Amino acid sequence: MADFSTTRDSSRLDVEKQTSYEPNSDLEAATIIAEPESEPGTSDGPKDEVAAESDPNIVDWDGPADPENPMNWPDKRKWLNIAVLSILTLVTPLGSSMFAPGIPGIMKEFHESSSTTATFMLSVYILGFAFGPLLIAPLSEIYGRAPLYNWGNVLFVIFTVCTALSNSVGMLMAFRFLMGVAGAAPITIGSGSIADIMPVEKRGRAMSAWALGPLLGPCIGPVAGGYLIAASSWRWVYWLIAMLGGVFVGVSFLTLRETYAPVILDKKARRLRKETGNEALRSKFAGKDSSIKEKFKLAVVRPIKLLVLTPIVTLMALYVAITYGILYLLFTTFSFVYAERYGFGEGIVGLTFLPAGIGMMMGVVAFGLLSDAMVKSKQAAGVAHRPEIRLSPALTIPSGLTLPVGLFLYGWTAQYGVHWIVPMIGVVIFSAGLMGVMMSIQNYLLDAYPRYAASVTAALAVLRSLAGALLPLGGLQMYNTLGLGWGNSLLGFISLGLVPIPLVFYIFGERIRKRFQPSL
């Protein structure tokens, strides 16, 4: 640890010498690129700590209770940060489907008739969510989390205004794509922020609040969008989103604090260099020979390496992607199912997305609290925390089985025109199970790869968003060929086949993690 006898008082130094800091997220470890890791999610080991302590120019936290360390923030500040992040993750996904009820009017205004164009108009936003993380994650590893949230929101508002002013389908699609790219910031690095500030036994609730936005936004958006479009026009959907985003531009700049440890310590090192004139002072997490270009190159490929070279991330991302794609396939059916089979008007059709939102809120409350309760019970019993606890069969099997149950119920009751409340109940069941699957997997990967939390989230987001964008392109054709009953039954059988994946990793996950440790 640094001996700042010329700049720091001796009492502070004594505390510094007694502590070392273990990285708790992906981005904290981004700058530790010269040292091999012992195991994902662990510290770099005693050798690195001894090396750091023997170097008098290393800048670290001022003891275990350093108020600058985000893990030591008061709970009010932590939850304020999480609340703002959760709202941002709700606002940006609104753009994905809030204008969906107005697609027929847009097609008529721009003289388009292709059903593929109509579907892609909805999906192109999700493509932005797929490609945005590949840029956002590496930038955040260099400049920190807060600038990406703040300036990403500014760009999101600008692109939303441009979308509202679009005078062609091509212009509309281009700016919708850019909206998705800019709006992906809170979805990409939110889990890293949570890992920075929350202990493992409280992450379930925090992750639930944060993860609800990307799923709940596309559900509640069409509700307001349907009535707004009926009363005015589709352009007012984007004006409303721009206003909401604009409000939170100011809120995010005023309230969001940097949580990324390497950036905080790097600023501290710069301040001390200025105060002392010692240009050799550097952050504990600063790479010895790492330029910004090298950091960016390493960071930009990390999500892809995790996705391709670690079976846990690959299969879990596949599970999430397929279930997320199924959700968007269901979204494509709501407009024609409830309009044509049940006679719902343009405004009321938007309300048919509410059951999905209700189911997700039920899933968040149930599975988020249950997940944290399991971790706390293990800790109370003196059992060391294992990430695989998040994949307990008590969580993953019930949530996985509710997906096909909900799909079968929705598909066959809509096929035969049973009262509209019954297929909606099927959607509630499916959505609650979807949140159970999502929360179990997100929390597991966050615990399994805490040093690479943002990169893991980016890997999940890429595959999930690609599925959400591309699967609906063939969805209507599938339903036209198979019908609602067998079409949703096919999706149900696919989701049923995925249920054993978390169970396999619950049993063998620790062994697999130790075996597959790519250089990141």
Side-chain angles (χ1 to χ4, degrees):
M1 200 65 60
D3 181 11
F4 299 125
S5 56
T6 60
T7 60
R8 317 295 286 178
D9 60 78
S10 59
S11 62
R12 176 174 286 184
L13 276 175
D14 291 337
V15 179
E16 285 183 340
K17 290 177 180 178
Q18 296 169 12
T19 183
S20 62
Y21 179 73
E22 178 178 339
N24 54 56
S25 71
D26 169 34
L27 301 183
E28 289 183 23
T31 53
I32 313 177
I33 60 177
E35 309 294 340
E37 68 175 47
S38 56
E39 178 182 347
T42 65
S43 66
D44 287 328
K47 187 166 115 177
D48 295 326
E49 292 174 5
V50 170
E53 290 178 359
S54 64
D55 189 339
N57 295 311
I58 292 296
V59 178
D60 199 356
W61 303 117
D62 294 336
D66 187 348
E68 290 188 25
N69 183 348
M71 290 295 287
N72 296 326
W73 286 357
D75 282 347
K76 287 184 179 180
R77 184 187 298 174
K78 290 182 179 182
W79 283 107
L80 176 62
N81 258 51
I82 292 172
V84 175
L85 291 182
S86 300
I87 293 172
L88 291 179
T89 60
L90 178 63
V91 171
T92 58
L94 286 176
S96 66
S97 62
M98 190 172 180
F99 87 124
I103 288 179
I106 295 172
M107 298 289 287
K108 183 177 180 181
E109 178 178 339
F110 295 130
H111 309 292
E112 292 283 346
S113 58
S114 170
S115 60
T116 302
T117 300
T119 305
F120 191 68
M121 199 183 301
L122 187 66
S123 299
V124 70
Y125 189 95
I126 311 302
L127 279 181
F129 273 9
F131 291 101
L134 296 178
L135 179 64
I136 292 166
L139 287 175
S140 67
E141 295 187 359
I142 298 170
Y143 300 107
R145 308 193 197 282
L148 270 296
Y149 293 131
N150 293 330
W151 293 108
N153 199 25
V154 170
L155 291 174
F156 175 77
V157 172
I158 292 172
F159 294 141
T160 303
V161 171
C162 293
T163 306
L165 298 173
S166 296
N167 54 22
S168 69
V169 168
M171 184 177 176
L172 177 68
M173 288 185 177
F175 282 114
R176 272 182 60 78
F177 174 78
L178 293 174
M179 280 177 66
V181 171
I187 297 171
T188 303
I189 55 180
S191 64
S193 294
I194 291 171
D196 289 342
I197 63 179
M198 300 301 287
V200 66
E201 69 274 9
K202 294 182 179 180
R203 285 181 191 165
R205 285 174 291 170
M207 286 286 289
S208 297
W210 166 77
L212 187 61
L215 296 172
L216 192 58
C219 299
I220 65 174
V223 177
Y227 286 103
L228 185 58
I229 290 167
S232 182
S233 72
W234 63 268
R235 296 182 189 274
W236 267 101
V237 167
Y238 292 103
W239 290 121
L240 178 60
I241 295 173
M243 292 174 192
L244 290 173
V247 168
F248 287 102
V249 165
V251 172
S252 64
F253 271 98
L254 291 173
T255 61
L256 287 182
R257 298 282 298 274
E258 183 58 63
T259 64
Y260 176 32
V263 165
I264 297 172
L265 290 179
D266 187 57
K267 289 180 180 178
K268 179 179 179 180
R270 288 202 302 269
R271 185 181 73 245
L272 290 173
R273 286 197 296 268
K274 185 177 180 180
E275 292 175 357
T276 66
N278 182 2
E279 294 300 323
L281 293 175
R282 67 181 187 276
S283 163
K284 177 181 179 179
F285 300 112
K288 295 178 181 178
D289 301 306
S290 55
S291 65
I292 289 181
K293 182 178 179 181
E294 289 169 344
K295 291 178 185 177
F296 185 84
K297 286 170 62 177
L298 286 170
V300 79
V301 300
R302 187 174 293 128
I304 303 302
K305 291 178 73 173
L306 281 166
L307 193 58
V308 174
L309 300 179
T310 54
I312 289 178
V313 178
T314 303
L315 291 176
M316 290 301 198
L318 184 65
Y319 194 171
V320 169
I322 291 174
T323 54
Y324 191 73
I326 291 173
L327 175 68
Y328 270 81
L329 278 173
L330 290 183
F331 285 168
T332 64
T333 68
F334 289 171
S335 295
F336 74 83
V337 165
Y338 291 105
E340 296 176 7
R341 294 177 183 263
Y342 295 101
F344 286 14
E346 188 177 53
I348 299 177
V349 163
L351 294 175
T352 62
F353 289 80
L354 273 181
I358 293 170
M360 288 175 188
M361 294 183 70
M362 292 169 58
V364 161
V365 173
F367 291 104
L369 294 177
L370 187 57
S371 179
D372 279 353
M374 287 184 173
V375 173
K376 289 180 180 179
S377 66
K378 294 290 184 181
Q379 290 179 337
V383 179
H385 176 68
R386 293 172 58 250
E388 283 70 29
I389 292 174
R390 302 288 193 183
L391 299 180
S392 169
L395 290 172
T396 55
I397 291 180
S399 58
L401 290 177
T402 56
L403 298 181
V405 170
L407 288 168
F408 294 149
L409 184 60
Y410 171 76
W412 288 108
T413 55
Q415 173 84 25
Y416 290 106
V418 179
H419 190 276
W420 54 264
I421 194 64
V422 183
M424 287 187 178
I425 291 173
V427 173
V428 170
I429 294 172
F430 171 84
S431 302
L434 175 63
M435 284 307 298
V437 169
M438 293 279 291
M439 293 314 306
S440 298
I441 290 176
Q442 292 257 23
N443 284 323
Y444 170 62
L445 292 178
L446 186 62
D447 288 357
Y449 300 94
R451 292 179 55 187
Y452 305 111
S455 291
V456 168
T457 305
L460 287 176
V462 168
L463 207 58
R464 179 185 69 194
S465 300
L466 284 174
L470 299 179
L471 283 181
L473 295 179
L476 293 180
Q477 186 176 355
M478 178 194 72
Y479 285 119
N480 288 335
T481 303
L482 299 178
L484 285 170
W486 281 112
N488 284 288
S489 294
L490 174 62
L491 300 176
F493 289 129
I494 292 172
S495 62
L496 186 62
L498 298 172
V499 172
I501 291 179
L503 187 60
V504 170
F505 291 122
Y506 175 73
I507 299 172
F508 302 108
E510 187 171 4
R511 190 182 310 172
I512 295 172
R513 281 188 288 118
K514 290 180 179 178
R515 182 175 179 181
F516 293 91
Q517 297 184 33
S519 175
L520 300 172

